[in-house]
Amino acid sequence: MEKILIIGANGQLGTELSAALQTKYGQDAVITSDIRKPQEENAIFEILNVLDNDALATIVKKYKITQIYHLAAILSAKGEENPIQTWNINMNGLLNVLEIARHEKLKKVYYPSSIAVFGTTTPSPAPQYTSMNPSTIYGISKRAGEQWCEYYFNKYGVDVRSLRYPGLISYKTLPGGGTTDYAVDIFYKAIEETHFDCFLSENTRLPMMYMPDAVRATLELMDAPKENLSTHEGYNLNAFDCTPKELYNEIKKHAPNLEMGYKIDELRQSIADSWSDSVIDEAARKDWNWQHEYDMESTTKEMLTNLKKKFEATK
Ligand code: SER
């Protein structure tokens, strides 16, 4: 019987992964946690600051947790406002999780990584093993985190698994403080208004993925036989890549009134410029048969349909 603790369950990924894990394992098997209460409680919930070791240990023991999904982190752009705090939360949070996993002999741990581990010396498309010189504290912490995961696997046998997500596009919960957020914001503007100012320049190409693919990839990786996995650092994960202009042109087919202008944010532009345009995810495809379902066209259709429904429901 699995008991799964999700840390950072209120975030963009956490809300959707929590729901998927509840569907898979049952309502009572999933314990959600975050630093604040969610707006709606749809699951067993505990307030948890991942830097509070004792509180983490108490929850793990109270619910006899067997797996942790550690999603709490400060994203790339937001992280630059306070690098030391970002490092502290992103890094020490992970170390607390790895330590409890080791001592309590948890079955599995999930740790999300990101395309932010890549840097200006990384070729595009980015191979699984390549030169990485992340330019943000978020990226540095994710790269170090990946290596800690591999270390805990090799040294202590902690079965920790990880994916390097592209920019995640979703309609249920907004992302906060990332460089790829424009690719979510633009859909809200397409439904609500007629003008969108993009903070990245028109030809900035980045890897992207629709949330249902990201959730399915996570569940498939966590289900894969351990002996099939060739890495316990983050697996490269690919669906599609696009520029703001390409995404806008696709959305415009469905929302012809949308106009897009550019108000470039220098910080986020420089972060985006340091990341690879696309990634090679051969290892994920070979080791656990990863196959994406959504491309830019189907993501656009799904996003607009679902956001329309969401807005109509709240009217
Ligand atoms: N979406 C994240 C960000 O933009 C990257 O993992 O920070």
Side-chain angles (χ1 to χ4, degrees):
M1 170 78 176
E2 298 297 337
K3 281 276 184 182
I4 298 170
L5 173 63
I6 304 171
I7 301 171
N10 298 352
Q12 186 197 14
L13 176 61
T15 44
E16 305 216 22
L17 205 46
S18 301
L21 287 164
Q22 280 180 320
T23 305
K24 186 171 158 76
Y25 291 100
Q27 192 87 7
D28 294 342
V30 178
I31 289 68
T32 59
S33 72
D34 209 301
I35 197 144
R36 272 175 224 101
K37 266 177 166 282
Q39 281 177 342
E40 281 173 61
E41 274 192 41
N42 301 319
I44 304 168
F45 178 80
E46 294 274 353
I47 294 270
L48 175 64
N49 176 346
V50 72
L51 297 179
D52 185 345
N53 247 329
D54 294 339
L56 175 61
T58 303
I59 292 173
V60 167
K61 286 181 189 144
K62 175 174 167 189
Y63 293 98
K64 299 192 170 55
I65 295 296
T66 60
Q67 300 187 24
I68 296 181
Y69 285 65
H70 171 46
L71 311 178
I74 299 185
L75 292 184
S76 58
K78 177 92 184 136
E80 294 305 291
E81 287 169 15
N82 191 337
I84 300 295
Q85 185 195 38
T86 302
W87 177 259
N88 186 27
I89 292 173
N90 290 7
M91 210 66 264
N92 292 328
L94 172 64
L95 292 176
N96 286 347
V97 168
L98 290 174
E99 273 296 280
I100 196 102
R102 169 190 164 201
H103 290 295
E104 295 298 319
K105 302 195 169 38
L106 301 194
K107 284 195 208 155
K108 285 177 198 166
V109 174
Y110 180 71
Y111 174 67
S113 186
S114 155
I115 50 167
V117 296
F118 302 129
T120 48
T121 60
T122 310
S124 227
Q128 176 70 37
Y129 299 102
T130 184
S131 166
M132 291 183 210
N133 57 333
S135 61
T136 59
I137 283 298
Y138 172 69
I140 295 172
S141 67
K142 285 292 175 190
R143 179 63 190 134
E146 290 185 348
Q147 292 182 298
W148 274 110
C149 290
E150 184 87 15
Y151 181 85
Y152 266 71
F153 175 74
N154 289 328
K155 194 167 172 94
Y156 304 118
V158 175
D159 186 359
V160 45
R161 304 175 179 200
S162 178
L163 294 170
R164 290 177 187 148
Y165 294 117
L168 298 180
I169 301 180
S170 69
Y171 63 89
K172 288 191 183 151
T173 308
L174 283 168
T179 300
T180 55
D181 296 8
Y182 90 83
V184 176
D185 300 343
I186 189 172
F187 285 101
Y188 280 78
K189 286 288 187 295
I191 303 280
E192 291 177 295
E193 292 170 36
T194 53
H195 188 84
F196 175 66
D197 279 322
C198 187
F199 60 73
L200 296 183
S201 65
E202 60 179 9
N203 294 323
T204 308
R205 183 172 299 285
L206 287 171
M208 297 285 174
M209 179 174 280
Y210 188 40
M211 185 60 87
D213 267 346
V215 167
R216 186 170 52 80
T218 311
L219 299 183
E220 287 178 6
L221 171 68
M222 292 303 275
D223 274 349
K226 190 158 67 173
E227 54 282 9
N228 291 5
L229 304 182
S230 56
T231 182
H232 287 260
E233 297 184 10
Y235 272 97
N236 278 6
L237 191 66
N238 193 44
F240 62 93
D241 50 79
C242 65
T243 66
K245 194 174 170 184
E246 288 166 356
L247 186 58
Y248 168 66
N249 286 336
E250 187 57 35
I251 294 173
K252 209 163 158 70
K253 291 182 192 164
H254 308 271
N257 293 334
L258 183 69
E259 295 301 328
M260 179 155 84
Y262 294 91
K263 279 198 183 147
I264 307 302
D265 171 29
E266 273 176 39
L267 171 67
R268 287 182 284 190
Q269 184 65 51
S270 71
I271 295 172
D273 288 342
S274 76
W275 291 349
S276 301
D277 297 357
S278 61
V279 301
I280 300 170
D281 61 354
E282 254 170 21
R285 291 181 190 260
K286 180 167 159 285
D287 291 359
W288 44 278
N289 299 317
W290 165 242
Q291 281 184 321
H292 71 277
E293 185 181 337
Y294 293 94
D295 58 12
M296 183 177 72
E297 289 73 20
S298 47
T299 298
T300 300
K301 265 195 214 143
E302 289 279 318
M303 279 295 288
L304 292 171
T305 310
N306 285 307
L307 267 182
K308 258 185 218 149
K309 274 193 213 149
K310 186 173 157 176
F311 280 110
E312 272 157 22
T314 53
K315 263 184 202 160

